[in-house]
Amino acid sequence: MMAPFRSKPPVVNNDFLVNESQEKLDRVYLRVLGRGGDRMLTDEVKWLAVTHKSFDHGRRGYNDRLAFLGRRIVELQTSLALVHGYSAAPTPQHEDKHGREPFTNLALEGLSGLTEQSKGATIEKRRMAQLAEKYGLDNVLRWKPKRMTNLQGSGLPIIVSQALYAIVGAVALQKGGEVANKVVRERILDPLGLQ
């Protein structure tokens, strides 16, 4: 049911055209996932991963749950990369007056590199958004910005990074965790400078 009149004045020039081209979407998936990336997911899931809930008032499916799963996978792989890639400086040995030796283990040496600050700096919103824009995800997103004249202020960095996470989540659901972990390491963490 619609009201007989608008309670707010209409916003002028706020029509936002979204991508409807399957070929353009496939090219972006090739950039994001590498060779064979356009065939890794079904067409329906590819569109779902780049659809925000603001598009068509959420009547069609959107990527929130895929992004949740994908973000957890990216955070896990980031933590593992920080633990395994961090070479800790040797801690100074103090002479113990009772002759005790502290416990050391090679598996625990990288733990000092795993902090909230290092993990947060690696996968912060701005860096993830820049990577997603480098892959061209901003050109195929299906969303409705609040203001056409201010896409950044309408939340483009958050939405484009959410789409990148959703692609990882979709790969995990359709191809399994090993493939998703490989995608995260090769296509997200390596370009961000973390091996």
Side-chain angles (χ1 to χ4, degrees), residues 130-153:
Q130 287 173 347
L131 180 64
E133 288 174 5
K134 182 182 117 186
Y135 286 141
L137 270 173
D138 55 332
N139 296 322
V140 295
L141 281 178
R142 297 199 303 179
W143 71 302
K144 174 77 170 144
K146 185 173 183 177
R147 296 274 181 229
M148 271 287 299
T149 56
N150 186 5
L151 294 180
Q152 298 295 321

mmCIF file with all atom_site columns, all heavy atoms in Angstrom, residues 130-153:
data_model
loop_
_atom_site.group_PDB
_atom_site.id
_atom_site.type_symbol
_atom_site.label_atom_id
_atom_site.label_alt_id
_atom_site.label_comp_id
_atom_site.label_asym_id
_atom_site.label_entity_id
_atom_site.label_seq_id
_atom_site.pdbx_PDB_ins_code
_atom_site.Cartn_x
_atom_site.Cartn_y
_atom_site.Cartn_z
_atom_site.occupancy
_atom_site.B_iso_or_equiv
_atom_site.pdbx_formal_charge
_atom_site.auth_seq_id
_atom_site.auth_comp_id
_atom_site.auth_asym_id
_atom_site.auth_atom_id
_atom_site.pdbx_PDB_model_num
ATOM 1   N N   . GLN A 1 130 ? 40.588 -0.960  -1.037  1.00 0.00 ? 130 GLN A N   1
ATOM 2   C CA  . GLN A 1 130 ? 41.501 -0.635  -2.135  1.00 0.00 ? 130 GLN A CA  1
ATOM 3   C C   . GLN A 1 130 ? 41.806 -1.862  -2.982  1.00 0.00 ? 130 GLN A C   1
ATOM 4   O O   . GLN A 1 130 ? 41.864 -1.785  -4.207  1.00 0.00 ? 130 GLN A O   1
ATOM 5   C CB  . GLN A 1 130 ? 42.801 -0.044  -1.581  1.00 0.00 ? 130 GLN A CB  1
ATOM 6   C CG  . GLN A 1 130 ? 42.657 1.352   -1.060  1.00 0.00 ? 130 GLN A CG  1
ATOM 7   C CD  . GLN A 1 130 ? 43.920 1.841   -0.369  1.00 0.00 ? 130 GLN A CD  1
ATOM 8   O OE1 . GLN A 1 130 ? 44.825 1.078   -0.062  1.00 0.00 ? 130 GLN A OE1 1
ATOM 9   N NE2 . GLN A 1 130 ? 43.977 3.146   -0.114  1.00 0.00 ? 130 GLN A NE2 1
ATOM 10  N N   . LEU A 1 131 ? 41.991 -3.003  -2.319  1.00 0.00 ? 131 LEU A N   1
ATOM 11  C CA  . LEU A 1 131 ? 42.248 -4.234  -3.057  1.00 0.00 ? 131 LEU A CA  1
ATOM 12  C C   . LEU A 1 131 ? 41.037 -4.638  -3.902  1.00 0.00 ? 131 LEU A C   1
ATOM 13  O O   . LEU A 1 131 ? 41.175 -5.005  -5.068  1.00 0.00 ? 131 LEU A O   1
ATOM 14  C CB  . LEU A 1 131 ? 42.613 -5.356  -2.077  1.00 0.00 ? 131 LEU A CB  1
ATOM 15  C CG  . LEU A 1 131 ? 42.911 -6.712  -2.697  1.00 0.00 ? 131 LEU A CG  1
ATOM 16  C CD1 . LEU A 1 131 ? 44.144 -6.632  -3.587  1.00 0.00 ? 131 LEU A CD1 1
ATOM 17  C CD2 . LEU A 1 131 ? 43.096 -7.753  -1.613  1.00 0.00 ? 131 LEU A CD2 1
ATOM 18  N N   . ALA A 1 132 ? 39.852 -4.546  -3.321  1.00 0.00 ? 132 ALA A N   1
ATOM 19  C CA  . ALA A 1 132 ? 38.633 -4.889  -4.052  1.00 0.00 ? 132 ALA A CA  1
ATOM 20  C C   . ALA A 1 132 ? 38.426 -3.952  -5.237  1.00 0.00 ? 132 ALA A C   1
ATOM 21  O O   . ALA A 1 132 ? 38.015 -4.391  -6.319  1.00 0.00 ? 132 ALA A O   1
ATOM 22  C CB  . ALA A 1 132 ? 37.428 -4.839  -3.118  1.00 0.00 ? 132 ALA A CB  1
ATOM 23  N N   . GLU A 1 133 ? 38.724 -2.667  -5.064  1.00 0.00 ? 133 GLU A N   1
ATOM 24  C CA  . GLU A 1 133 ? 38.600 -1.722  -6.174  1.00 0.00 ? 133 GLU A CA  1
ATOM 25  C C   . GLU A 1 133 ? 39.652 -1.996  -7.236  1.00 0.00 ? 133 GLU A C   1
ATOM 26  O O   . GLU A 1 133 ? 39.405 -1.807  -8.430  1.00 0.00 ? 133 GLU A O   1
ATOM 27  C CB  . GLU A 1 133 ? 38.686 -0.294  -5.650  1.00 0.00 ? 133 GLU A CB  1
ATOM 28  C CG  . GLU A 1 133 ? 37.443 0.120   -4.879  1.00 0.00 ? 133 GLU A CG  1
ATOM 29  C CD  . GLU A 1 133 ? 37.564 1.482   -4.218  1.00 0.00 ? 133 GLU A CD  1
ATOM 30  O OE1 . GLU A 1 133 ? 38.578 2.175   -4.433  1.00 0.00 ? 133 GLU A OE1 1
ATOM 31  O OE2 . GLU A 1 133 ? 36.632 1.835   -3.472  1.00 0.00 ? 133 GLU A OE2 1
ATOM 32  N N   . LYS A 1 134 ? 40.847 -2.444  -6.827  1.00 0.00 ? 134 LYS A N   1
ATOM 33  C CA  . LYS A 1 134 ? 41.883 -2.803  -7.791  1.00 0.00 ? 134 LYS A CA  1
ATOM 34  C C   . LYS A 1 134 ? 41.415 -3.971  -8.669  1.00 0.00 ? 134 LYS A C   1
ATOM 35  O O   . LYS A 1 134 ? 41.691 -4.012  -9.861  1.00 0.00 ? 134 LYS A O   1
ATOM 36  C CB  . LYS A 1 134 ? 43.171 -3.179  -7.060  1.00 0.00 ? 134 LYS A CB  1
ATOM 37  C CG  . LYS A 1 134 ? 44.325 -3.521  -7.964  1.00 0.00 ? 134 LYS A CG  1
ATOM 38  C CD  . LYS A 1 134 ? 45.535 -3.920  -7.166  1.00 0.00 ? 134 LYS A CD  1
ATOM 39  C CE  . LYS A 1 134 ? 45.839 -5.347  -7.504  1.00 0.00 ? 134 LYS A CE  1
ATOM 40  N NZ  . LYS A 1 134 ? 46.880 -5.960  -6.763  1.00 0.00 ? 134 LYS A NZ  1
ATOM 41  N N   . TYR A 1 135 ? 40.681 -4.896  -8.079  1.00 0.00 ? 135 TYR A N   1
ATOM 42  C CA  . TYR A 1 135 ? 40.126 -6.010  -8.841  1.00 0.00 ? 135 TYR A CA  1
ATOM 43  C C   . TYR A 1 135 ? 38.917 -5.594  -9.670  1.00 0.00 ? 135 TYR A C   1
ATOM 44  O O   . TYR A 1 135 ? 38.464 -6.352  -10.512 1.00 0.00 ? 135 TYR A O   1
ATOM 45  C CB  . TYR A 1 135 ? 39.713 -7.145  -7.903  1.00 0.00 ? 135 TYR A CB  1
ATOM 46  C CG  . TYR A 1 135 ? 40.873 -7.933  -7.334  1.00 0.00 ? 135 TYR A CG  1
ATOM 47  C CD1 . TYR A 1 135 ? 40.854 -8.357  -6.018  1.00 0.00 ? 135 TYR A CD1 1
ATOM 48  C CD2 . TYR A 1 135 ? 41.972 -8.268  -8.113  1.00 0.00 ? 135 TYR A CD2 1
ATOM 49  C CE1 . TYR A 1 135 ? 41.905 -9.093  -5.490  1.00 0.00 ? 135 TYR A CE1 1
ATOM 50  C CE2 . TYR A 1 135 ? 43.027 -8.984  -7.594  1.00 0.00 ? 135 TYR A CE2 1
ATOM 51  C CZ  . TYR A 1 135 ? 42.984 -9.401  -6.283  1.00 0.00 ? 135 TYR A CZ  1
ATOM 52  O OH  . TYR A 1 135 ? 44.027 -10.129 -5.764  1.00 0.00 ? 135 TYR A OH  1
ATOM 53  N N   . GLY A 1 136 ? 38.355 -4.427  -9.426  1.00 0.00 ? 136 GLY A N   1
ATOM 54  C CA  . GLY A 1 136 ? 37.219 -3.938  -10.205 1.00 0.00 ? 136 GLY A CA  1
ATOM 55  C C   . GLY A 1 136 ? 35.866 -4.284  -9.623  1.00 0.00 ? 136 GLY A C   1
ATOM 56  O O   . GLY A 1 136 ? 34.847 -4.170  -10.315 1.00 0.00 ? 136 GLY A O   1
ATOM 57  N N   . LEU A 1 137 ? 35.822 -4.707  -8.378  1.00 0.00 ? 137 LEU A N   1
ATOM 58  C CA  . LEU A 1 137 ? 34.543 -5.074  -7.773  1.00 0.00 ? 137 LEU A CA  1
ATOM 59  C C   . LEU A 1 137 ? 33.585 -3.896  -7.669  1.00 0.00 ? 137 LEU A C   1
ATOM 60  O O   . LEU A 1 137 ? 32.370 -4.086  -7.703  1.00 0.00 ? 137 LEU A O   1
ATOM 61  C CB  . LEU A 1 137 ? 34.769 -5.658  -6.371  1.00 0.00 ? 137 LEU A CB  1
ATOM 62  C CG  . LEU A 1 137 ? 34.972 -7.157  -6.304  1.00 0.00 ? 137 LEU A CG  1
ATOM 63  C CD1 . LEU A 1 137 ? 35.363 -7.578  -4.907  1.00 0.00 ? 137 LEU A CD1 1
ATOM 64  C CD2 . LEU A 1 137 ? 33.738 -7.879  -6.740  1.00 0.00 ? 137 LEU A CD2 1
ATOM 65  N N   . ASP A 1 138 ? 34.116 -2.686  -7.537  1.00 0.00 ? 138 ASP A N   1
ATOM 66  C CA  . ASP A 1 138 ? 33.238 -1.515  -7.424  1.00 0.00 ? 138 ASP A CA  1
ATOM 67  C C   . ASP A 1 138 ? 32.426 -1.282  -8.692  1.00 0.00 ? 138 ASP A C   1
ATOM 68  O O   . ASP A 1 138 ? 31.384 -0.631  -8.651  1.00 0.00 ? 138 ASP A O   1
ATOM 69  C CB  . ASP A 1 138 ? 34.039 -0.271  -7.054  1.00 0.00 ? 138 ASP A CB  1
ATOM 70  C CG  . ASP A 1 138 ? 35.174 0.009   -8.016  1.00 0.00 ? 138 ASP A CG  1
ATOM 71  O OD1 . ASP A 1 138 ? 35.704 -0.936  -8.635  1.00 0.00 ? 138 ASP A OD1 1
ATOM 72  O OD2 . ASP A 1 138 ? 35.554 1.190   -8.152  1.00 0.00 ? 138 ASP A OD2 1
ATOM 73  N N   . ASN A 1 139 ? 32.870 -1.840  -9.811  1.00 0.00 ? 139 ASN A N   1
ATOM 74  C CA  . ASN A 1 139 ? 32.153 -1.654  -11.076 1.00 0.00 ? 139 ASN A CA  1
ATOM 75  C C   . ASN A 1 139 ? 31.025 -2.657  -11.288 1.00 0.00 ? 139 ASN A C   1
ATOM 76  O O   . ASN A 1 139 ? 30.213 -2.485  -12.195 1.00 0.00 ? 139 ASN A O   1
ATOM 77  C CB  . ASN A 1 139 ? 33.128 -1.750  -12.253 1.00 0.00 ? 139 ASN A CB  1
ATOM 78  C CG  . ASN A 1 139 ? 34.154 -0.640  -12.206 1.00 0.00 ? 139 ASN A CG  1
ATOM 79  O OD1 . ASN A 1 139 ? 33.842 0.484   -11.849 1.00 0.00 ? 139 ASN A OD1 1
ATOM 80  N ND2 . ASN A 1 139 ? 35.389 -0.974  -12.532 1.00 0.00 ? 139 ASN A ND2 1
ATOM 81  N N   . VAL A 1 140 ? 30.979 -3.725  -10.502 1.00 0.00 ? 140 VAL A N   1
ATOM 82  C CA  . VAL A 1 140 ? 29.943 -4.741  -10.698 1.00 0.00 ? 140 VAL A CA  1
ATOM 83  C C   . VAL A 1 140 ? 29.042 -4.892  -9.473  1.00 0.00 ? 140 VAL A C   1
ATOM 84  O O   . VAL A 1 140 ? 28.156 -5.745  -9.482  1.00 0.00 ? 140 VAL A O   1
ATOM 85  C CB  . VAL A 1 140 ? 30.557 -6.114  -11.069 1.00 0.00 ? 140 VAL A CB  1
ATOM 86  C CG1 . VAL A 1 140 ? 31.243 -6.043  -12.410 1.00 0.00 ? 140 VAL A CG1 1
ATOM 87  C CG2 . VAL A 1 140 ? 31.483 -6.613  -9.989  1.00 0.00 ? 140 VAL A CG2 1
ATOM 88  N N   . LEU A 1 141 ? 29.254 -4.105  -8.454  1.00 0.00 ? 141 LEU A N   1
ATOM 89  C CA  . LEU A 1 141 ? 28.412 -4.180  -7.262  1.00 0.00 ? 141 LEU A CA  1
ATOM 90  C C   . LEU A 1 141 ? 26.961 -3.869  -7.596  1.00 0.00 ? 141 LEU A C   1
ATOM 91  O O   . LEU A 1 141 ? 26.686 -2.987  -8.409  1.00 0.00 ? 141 LEU A O   1
ATOM 92  C CB  . LEU A 1 141 ? 28.867 -3.168  -6.206  1.00 0.00 ? 141 LEU A CB  1
ATOM 93  C CG  . LEU A 1 141 ? 30.061 -3.521  -5.363  1.00 0.00 ? 141 LEU A CG  1
ATOM 94  C CD1 . LEU A 1 141 ? 30.362 -2.373  -4.426  1.00 0.00 ? 141 LEU A CD1 1
ATOM 95  C CD2 . LEU A 1 141 ? 29.829 -4.774  -4.573  1.00 0.00 ? 141 LEU A CD2 1
ATOM 96  N N   . ARG A 1 142 ? 26.073 -4.557  -6.944  1.00 0.00 ? 142 ARG A N   1
ATOM 97  C CA  . ARG A 1 142 ? 24.653 -4.228  -7.050  1.00 0.00 ? 142 ARG A CA  1
ATOM 98  C C   . ARG A 1 142 ? 24.232 -3.678  -5.697  1.00 0.00 ? 142 ARG A C   1
ATOM 99  O O   . ARG A 1 142 ? 24.115 -4.427  -4.719  1.00 0.00 ? 142 ARG A O   1
ATOM 100 C CB  . ARG A 1 142 ? 23.829 -5.461  -7.430  1.00 0.00 ? 142 ARG A CB  1
ATOM 101 C CG  . ARG A 1 142 ? 24.214 -5.977  -8.780  1.00 0.00 ? 142 ARG A CG  1
ATOM 102 C CD  . ARG A 1 142 ? 23.199 -6.865  -9.414  1.00 0.00 ? 142 ARG A CD  1
ATOM 103 N NE  . ARG A 1 142 ? 22.834 -8.019  -8.617  1.00 0.00 ? 142 ARG A NE  1
ATOM 104 C CZ  . ARG A 1 142 ? 21.935 -8.910  -9.002  1.00 0.00 ? 142 ARG A CZ  1
ATOM 105 N NH1 . ARG A 1 142 ? 21.327 -8.792  -10.153 1.00 0.00 ? 142 ARG A NH1 1
ATOM 106 N NH2 . ARG A 1 142 ? 21.641 -9.934  -8.238  1.00 0.00 ? 142 ARG A NH2 1
ATOM 107 N N   . TRP A 1 143 ? 24.053 -2.363  -5.652  1.00 0.00 ? 143 TRP A N   1
ATOM 108 C CA  . TRP A 1 143 ? 23.676 -1.686  -4.413  1.00 0.00 ? 143 TRP A CA  1
ATOM 109 C C   . TRP A 1 143 ? 23.019 -0.369  -4.747  1.00 0.00 ? 143 TRP A C   1
ATOM 110 O O   . TRP A 1 143 ? 23.035 0.076   -5.893  1.00 0.00 ? 143 TRP A O   1
ATOM 111 C CB  . TRP A 1 143 ? 24.886 -1.488  -3.506  1.00 0.00 ? 143 TRP A CB  1
ATOM 112 C CG  . TRP A 1 143 ? 25.895 -0.466  -3.973  1.00 0.00 ? 143 TRP A CG  1
ATOM 113 C CD1 . TRP A 1 143 ? 26.566 -0.465  -5.152  1.00 0.00 ? 143 TRP A CD1 1
ATOM 114 C CD2 . TRP A 1 143 ? 26.338 0.681   -3.268  1.00 0.00 ? 143 TRP A CD2 1
ATOM 115 N NE1 . TRP A 1 143 ? 27.408 0.619   -5.222  1.00 0.00 ? 143 TRP A NE1 1
ATOM 116 C CE2 . TRP A 1 143 ? 27.292 1.345   -4.071  1.00 0.00 ? 143 TRP A CE2 1
ATOM 117 C CE3 . TRP A 1 143 ? 26.032 1.224   -2.031  1.00 0.00 ? 143 TRP A CE3 1
ATOM 118 C CZ2 . TRP A 1 143 ? 27.936 2.505   -3.675  1.00 0.00 ? 143 TRP A CZ2 1
ATOM 119 C CZ3 . TRP A 1 143 ? 26.683 2.381   -1.642  1.00 0.00 ? 143 TRP A CZ3 1
ATOM 120 C CH2 . TRP A 1 143 ? 27.623 3.005   -2.462  1.00 0.00 ? 143 TRP A CH2 1
ATOM 121 N N   . LYS A 1 144 ? 22.442 0.262   -3.767  1.00 0.00 ? 144 LYS A N   1
ATOM 122 C CA  . LYS A 1 144 ? 21.776 1.558   -3.934  1.00 0.00 ? 144 LYS A CA  1
ATOM 123 C C   . LYS A 1 144 ? 22.408 2.528   -2.936  1.00 0.00 ? 144 LYS A C   1
ATOM 124 O O   . LYS A 1 144 ? 22.146 2.446   -1.733  1.00 0.00 ? 144 LYS A O   1
ATOM 125 C CB  . LYS A 1 144 ? 20.279 1.401   -3.656  1.00 0.00 ? 144 LYS A CB  1
ATOM 126 C CG  . LYS A 1 144 ? 19.506 2.697   -3.652  1.00 0.00 ? 144 LYS A CG  1
ATOM 127 C CD  . LYS A 1 144 ? 19.263 3.183   -5.041  1.00 0.00 ? 144 LYS A CD  1
ATOM 128 C CE  . LYS A 1 144 ? 18.281 4.348   -4.979  1.00 0.00 ? 144 LYS A CE  1
ATOM 129 N NZ  . LYS A 1 144 ? 18.541 5.347   -5.931  1.00 0.00 ? 144 LYS A NZ  1
ATOM 130 N N   . PRO A 1 145 ? 23.247 3.441   -3.416  1.00 0.00 ? 145 PRO A N   1
ATOM 131 C CA  . PRO A 1 145 ? 23.855 4.401   -2.489  1.00 0.00 ? 145 PRO A CA  1
ATOM 132 C C   . PRO A 1 145 ? 22.832 5.417   -1.989  1.00 0.00 ? 145 PRO A C   1
ATOM 133 O O   . PRO A 1 145 ? 21.835 5.697   -2.660  1.00 0.00 ? 145 PRO A O   1
ATOM 134 C CB  . PRO A 1 145 ? 24.934 5.078   -3.337  1.00 0.00 ? 145 PRO A CB  1
ATOM 135 C CG  . PRO A 1 145 ? 24.500 4.888   -4.738  1.00 0.00 ? 145 PRO A CG  1
ATOM 136 C CD  . PRO A 1 145 ? 23.699 3.630   -4.783  1.00 0.00 ? 145 PRO A CD  1
ATOM 137 N N   . LYS A 1 146 ? 23.105 5.942   -0.826  1.00 0.00 ? 146 LYS A N   1
ATOM 138 C CA  . LYS A 1 146 ? 22.201 6.949   -0.267  1.00 0.00 ? 146 LYS A CA  1
ATOM 139 C C   . LYS A 1 146 ? 22.231 8.220   -1.114  1.00 0.00 ? 146 LYS A C   1
ATOM 140 O O   . LYS A 1 146 ? 21.204 8.810   -1.405  1.00 0.00 ? 146 LYS A O   1
ATOM 141 C CB  . LYS A 1 146 ? 22.608 7.251   1.172   1.00 0.00 ? 146 LYS A CB  1
ATOM 142 C CG  . LYS A 1 146 ? 21.662 8.183   1.875   1.00 0.00 ? 146 LYS A CG  1
ATOM 143 C CD  . LYS A 1 146 ? 22.013 8.319   3.334   1.00 0.00 ? 146 LYS A CD  1
ATOM 144 C CE  . LYS A 1 146 ? 20.996 9.216   4.013   1.00 0.00 ? 146 LYS A CE  1
ATOM 145 N NZ  . LYS A 1 146 ? 21.248 9.332   5.439   1.00 0.00 ? 146 LYS A NZ  1
ATOM 146 N N   . ARG A 1 147 ? 23.423 8.623   -1.496  1.00 0.00 ? 147 ARG A N   1
ATOM 147 C CA  . ARG A 1 147 ? 23.592 9.813   -2.347  1.00 0.00 ? 147 ARG A CA  1
ATOM 148 C C   . ARG A 1 147 ? 24.486 9.459   -3.529  1.00 0.00 ? 147 ARG A C   1
ATOM 149 O O   . ARG A 1 147 ? 25.597 8.969   -3.342  1.00 0.00 ? 147 ARG A O   1
ATOM 150 C CB  . ARG A 1 147 ? 24.253 10.950  -1.569  1.00 0.00 ? 147 ARG A CB  1
ATOM 151 C CG  . ARG A 1 147 ? 23.434 11.465  -0.425  1.00 0.00 ? 147 ARG A CG  1
ATOM 152 C CD  . ARG A 1 147 ? 22.470 12.512  -0.924  1.00 0.00 ? 147 ARG A CD  1
ATOM 153 N NE  . ARG A 1 147 ? 21.703 13.024  0.199   1.00 0.00 ? 147 ARG A NE  1
ATOM 154 C CZ  . ARG A 1 147 ? 20.411 13.141  0.186   1.00 0.00 ? 147 ARG A CZ  1
ATOM 155 N NH1 . ARG A 1 147 ? 19.731 12.829  -0.877  1.00 0.00 ? 147 ARG A NH1 1
ATOM 156 N NH2 . ARG A 1 147 ? 19.773 13.618  1.229   1.00 0.00 ? 147 ARG A NH2 1
ATOM 157 N N   . MET A 1 148 ? 24.006 9.727   -4.714  1.00 0.00 ? 148 MET A N   1
ATOM 158 C CA  . MET A 1 148 ? 24.791 9.486   -5.921  1.00 0.00 ? 148 MET A CA  1
ATOM 159 C C   . MET A 1 148 ? 26.039 10.340  -5.975  1.00 0.00 ? 148 MET A C   1
ATOM 160 O O   . MET A 1 148 ? 27.054 9.932   -6.524  1.00 0.00 ? 148 MET A O   1
ATOM 161 C CB  . MET A 1 148 ? 23.931 9.793   -7.154  1.00 0.00 ? 148 MET A CB  1
ATOM 162 C CG  . MET A 1 148 ? 23.139 8.646   -7.650  1.00 0.00 ? 148 MET A CG  1
ATOM 163 S SD  . MET A 1 148 ? 24.174 7.453   -8.452  1.00 0.00 ? 148 MET A SD  1
ATOM 164 C CE  . MET A 1 148 ? 24.846 8.423   -9.772  1.00 0.00 ? 148 MET A CE  1
ATOM 165 N N   . THR A 1 149 ? 25.970 11.533  -5.415  1.00 0.00 ? 149 THR A N   1
ATOM 166 C CA  . THR A 1 149 ? 27.089 12.462  -5.506  1.00 0.00 ? 149 THR A CA  1
ATOM 167 C C   . THR A 1 149 ? 28.195 12.137  -4.515  1.00 0.00 ? 149 THR A C   1
ATOM 168 O O   . THR A 1 149 ? 29.287 12.670  -4.623  1.00 0.00 ? 149 THR A O   1
ATOM 169 C CB  . THR A 1 149 ? 26.602 13.901  -5.247  1.00 0.00 ? 149 THR A CB  1
ATOM 170 O OG1 . THR A 1 149 ? 25.952 13.941  -3.969  1.00 0.00 ? 149 THR A OG1 1
ATOM 171 C CG2 . THR A 1 149 ? 25.639 14.331  -6.335  1.00 0.00 ? 149 THR A CG2 1
ATOM 172 N N   . ASN A 1 150 ? 27.940 11.268  -3.540  1.00 0.00 ? 150 ASN A N   1
ATOM 173 C CA  . ASN A 1 150 ? 28.936 10.948  -2.526  1.00 0.00 ? 150 ASN A CA  1
ATOM 174 C C   . ASN A 1 150 ? 28.931 9.444   -2.262  1.00 0.00 ? 150 ASN A C   1
ATOM 175 O O   . ASN A 1 150 ? 28.386 8.980   -1.264  1.00 0.00 ? 150 ASN A O   1
ATOM 176 C CB  . ASN A 1 150 ? 28.644 11.730  -1.234  1.00 0.00 ? 150 ASN A CB  1
ATOM 177 C CG  . ASN A 1 150 ? 29.719 11.557  -0.198  1.00 0.00 ? 150 ASN A CG  1
ATOM 178 O OD1 . ASN A 1 150 ? 30.749 10.932  -0.443  1.00 0.00 ? 150 ASN A OD1 1
ATOM 179 N ND2 . ASN A 1 150 ? 29.480 12.105  0.972   1.00 0.00 ? 150 ASN A ND2 1
ATOM 180 N N   . LEU A 1 151 ? 29.579 8.688   -3.158  1.00 0.00 ? 151 LEU A N   1
ATOM 181 C CA  . LEU A 1 151 ? 29.600 7.237   -3.006  1.00 0.00 ? 151 LEU A CA  1
ATOM 182 C C   . LEU A 1 151 ? 30.432 6.817   -1.799  1.00 0.00 ? 151 LEU A C   1
ATOM 183 O O   . LEU A 1 151 ? 30.078 5.864   -1.106  1.00 0.00 ? 151 LEU A O   1
ATOM 184 C CB  . LEU A 1 151 ? 30.142 6.582   -4.274  1.00 0.00 ? 151 LEU A CB  1
ATOM 185 C CG  . LEU A 1 151 ? 29.288 6.728   -5.528  1.00 0.00 ? 151 LEU A CG  1
ATOM 186 C CD1 . LEU A 1 151 ? 29.936 6.025   -6.705  1.00 0.00 ? 151 LEU A CD1 1
ATOM 187 C CD2 . LEU A 1 151 ? 27.889 6.210   -5.301  1.00 0.00 ? 151 LEU A CD2 1
ATOM 188 N N   . GLN A 1 152 ? 31.522 7.509   -1.543  1.00 0.00 ? 152 GLN A N   1
ATOM 189 C CA  . GLN A 1 152 ? 32.357 7.170   -0.373  1.00 0.00 ? 152 GLN A CA  1
ATOM 190 C C   . GLN A 1 152 ? 31.572 7.383   0.916   1.00 0.00 ? 152 GLN A C   1
ATOM 191 O O   . GLN A 1 152 ? 31.617 6.557   1.825   1.00 0.00 ? 152 GLN A O   1
ATOM 192 C CB  . GLN A 1 152 ? 33.638 8.010   -0.359  1.00 0.00 ? 152 GLN A CB  1
ATOM 193 C CG  . GLN A 1 152 ? 34.538 7.796   -1.551  1.00 0.00 ? 152 GLN A CG  1
ATOM 194 C CD  . GLN A 1 152 ? 35.097 6.392   -1.614  1.00 0.00 ? 152 GLN A CD  1
ATOM 195 O OE1 . GLN A 1 152 ? 35.454 5.810   -0.607  1.00 0.00 ? 152 GLN A OE1 1
ATOM 196 N NE2 . GLN A 1 152 ? 35.167 5.839   -2.819  1.00 0.00 ? 152 GLN A NE2 1
ATOM 197 N N   . GLY A 1 153 ? 30.855 8.472   0.992   1.00 0.00 ? 153 GLY A N   1
ATOM 198 C CA  . GLY A 1 153 ? 30.044 8.755   2.164   1.00 0.00 ? 153 GLY A CA  1
ATOM 199 C C   . GLY A 1 153 ? 28.836 7.846   2.280   1.00 0.00 ? 153 GLY A C   1
ATOM 200 O O   . GLY A 1 153 ? 28.295 7.656   3.375   1.00 0.00 ? 153 GLY A O   1
#
